[in-house]
Amino acid sequence: MISGDDITPPGLDTLAVREALPRSQYGENSEALFLTSSFVHPDAATAAARFAGEQDGFVYSRFSNPTVSSYEQRLAALEGAEGCMATGSGMAAILLLAMATLKAGDHVICSQGVFGSTINLFGRELARFGVEATFVSQTDVTQWAAALRPNTRMLFAETPSNPLTEVCDIAALADIAHGAGAELVVDNCFCSPALQRPLTFGADWVIHSGTKYLDGQGRVIAGAVCGRAAPIHDKLLPVQRTVGLSLSPFNAWVVLKGMETLSVRMAAHSAAALDMAQWLQAQPVIDRVFYPGLASHPQHALAMRQQKAGGAVLSFVLKAAHAEQARARAFHVIDQTRICSITANLGDTKTTITHPSTTTHGRLREEQRQAAGIGQGMIRLAVGLEDLADLKHDLARGLHTLT
Ligand SMILES: *Cc1c(COP(=O)(O)O)cnc(C)c1O
């Protein structure tokens, strides 16, 4: 931990740059990368004590590693969490938490607006192991309360959601969870701790895909679970040691460096996305724009209480007479771009453009998509850090030539 009488407690940007800076005997100023699978002990007795957990010291990189440990400490500091456990991906983080805190016969309530693989994890994979899941509306708190059962152990939310940018009331969900002896988990990928700190609103756990804004430059896959120190040590660590959902030290190092610029990037992404959302809203061919930073967003007030800014992700719907025309128009706008990357990824300096109904949400049935409000005329944009004038020009090429 950073300490010092003159800066107590350090601000988020100081922590992002300096927390858990590992220094070797060489005194390097940039984080060292400890790319090693195992660690050498001075003698057999020390090895035995370290394996038994009676003495501090690294043993094997499936359990922990100095670079991975720096990543964990820095992310924990940014989230205001007591602890953090790194995982090889965002999905591995959710699986690790589920394996460590749930058992067969337990019940989970999950928002239907969460990341597609999260829906499959709870709805399909964990169901095979006897964990039941109920999916409810992202924004209707009464549905969450009504779905509670005596065996409910976890409420899982992601806010804002993808691609509709629906916002959950974290404090209200935490009250519902705690009143029923359950825990609230919040997937904080879209905001990152630079914009939103779910633990401060009462969440018990925060999930991260380090792949997104923590890295911020689209280079590696990484994940993490942040929460209280005791359950991380007593429940998550033993599972992690056994099953090995571990993060590569190299990937940890990349994301550790990415975190240094997190809040300047998130501020720039958010400013660009707000400007872009306002510009899109003024286009006559666009029916609706979804962005939490817009006053027209249904949960704008709640979003601005929970989040410092709107974040990078927005979506918009093109006007069209029917679904077939809507899809053709969306494809036209996407295909006319020359700067935006046509990809389902986000969390990058590069702006990405996506047609959710045929990609990220393509595996849903049409009526599920209808229920989720994801039509054929919807386009998702994760606004990057290019010049905004160039991005508008790139989109205008398609928007202004719709037939
Ligand atoms: C990408 C993503 C995940 C999964 O993360 P991976 O690192 O790809 O496993 C989970 N939740 C959200 C909101 C995401 O965007």
Side-chain angles (χ1 to χ4, degrees):
M1 273 293 284
I2 297 173
S3 59
D5 297 338
D6 44 354
I7 42 162
T8 347
L12 188 112
D13 290 337
T14 305
L15 293 170
V17 173
R18 293 191 170 269
E19 175 67 8
L21 185 70
R23 275 225 173 95
S24 78
Q25 70 269 37
Y26 302 114
E28 66 282 350
N29 195 36
S30 175
E31 288 74 355
L33 167 55
F34 293 93
L35 206 53
T36 179
S37 52
S38 70
F39 298 84
V40 176
H41 313 285
D43 49 55
T46 307
R50 287 179 181 165
F51 267 85
E54 290 156 3
Q55 188 180 311
D56 281 348
F58 295 100
V59 172
Y60 189 52
S61 288
R62 168 151 40 85
F63 312 165
S64 84
N65 167 291
T67 307
V68 174
S69 169
S70 294
Y71 161 99
E72 291 170 336
Q73 287 171 43
R74 188 170 295 178
L75 184 52
L78 297 186
E79 283 291 358
E82 286 175 12
C84 170
M85 175 139 286
T87 54
S89 69
M91 290 317 301
I94 304 174
L95 177 61
L96 175 64
L97 183 61
M99 286 185 75
T101 62
L102 300 173
K103 60 181 187 315
D106 285 348
H107 175 243
V108 175
I109 306 173
C110 183
S111 156
Q112 61 201 10
V114 297
F115 190 62
S117 297
T118 308
I119 300 229
N120 288 340
L121 179 64
F122 286 117
R124 202 184 295 163
E125 307 306 341
L126 290 171
R128 293 190 291 119
F129 294 87
V131 174
E132 300 172 283
T134 305
F135 295 94
V136 296
S137 153
Q138 174 89 347
T139 52
D140 182 356
V141 176
T142 58
Q143 280 194 29
W144 294 76
L148 284 172
R149 298 186 198 163
N151 58 341
T152 304
R153 291 287 165 269
M154 180 187 283
L155 272 61
F156 192 102
E158 178 187 317
T159 182
S161 72
N162 173 24
L164 287 164
T165 72
E166 288 181 324
V167 176
C168 280
D169 187 333
I170 300 173
L173 294 185
D175 282 347
I176 291 172
H178 299 157
E183 294 190 310
L184 175 64
V185 185
V186 175
D187 182 330
N188 199 25
C189 280
F190 275 52
C191 277
S192 89
L195 299 185
Q196 172 173 275
R197 306 209 305 164
L199 300 179
T200 63
F201 297 100
D204 300 283
W205 298 102
V206 174
I207 294 290
H208 272 291
S209 167
T211 318
K212 308 294 163 54
Y213 292 100
L214 297 182
D215 170 19
Q217 289 145 88
R219 300 170 292 193
V220 297
I221 303 284
V225 185
C226 299
R228 288 181 200 98
I232 288 178
H233 183 267
D234 301 343
K235 293 180 176 175
L236 272 66
L237 185 59
V239 176
Q240 177 70 309
R241 283 179 71 130
T242 303
V243 304
L245 298 165
S246 325
L247 179 61
S248 150
F250 179 77
N251 290 3
W253 178 79
V254 170
V255 181
L256 195 57
K257 299 303 290 177
M259 278 190 259
E260 293 181 9
T261 55
L262 180 65
S263 76
V264 282
R265 282 188 285 105
M266 292 316 290
H269 280 296
S270 300
L274 178 59
D275 188 317
M276 177 64 88
Q278 287 162 342
W279 180 79
L280 289 167
Q281 222 173 15
Q283 302 299 313
V285 291
I286 290 177
D287 188 30
R288 223 181 135 183
V289 180
F290 298 90
Y291 184 66
L294 286 178
S296 60
H297 188 283
Q299 295 103 36
H300 176 67
L302 171 64
M304 294 301 103
R305 270 206 307 282
Q306 285 182 175
Q307 305 172 208
K308 251 193 198 168
V313 181
L314 62 87
S315 60
F316 57 95
V317 180
L318 295 164
K319 286 181 186 162
H322 48 78
E324 208 177 310
Q325 187 191 38
R327 181 194 289 211
R329 292 186 144 209
F331 277 24
H332 174 79
V333 171
I334 292 169
D335 290 343
Q336 287 299 308
T337 62
R338 294 175 200 159
I339 294 175
C340 298
S341 305
I342 305 174
T343 170
N345 193 33
L346 54 87
D348 203 318
T349 51
K350 298 180 176 70
T351 297
T352 63
I353 191 163
T354 312
H355 187 241
S357 64
T358 53
T359 59
T360 52
H361 294 70
R363 283 185 292 175
L364 298 183
R365 281 174 281 115
E366 184 57 26
E367 49 299 358
Q368 283 178 305
R369 266 197 300 272
Q370 297 266 332
I374 299 161
Q376 295 292 336
M378 174 174 279
I379 293 175
R380 187 195 76 194
L381 211 58
V383 181
L385 301 180
E386 302 96 335
D387 282 293
L388 197 52
D390 294 336
L391 292 176
K392 287 179 185 168
H393 186 72
D394 206 36
L395 290 165
R397 200 179 299 111
L399 291 172
H400 295 169
T401 53
L402 281 177
T403 48

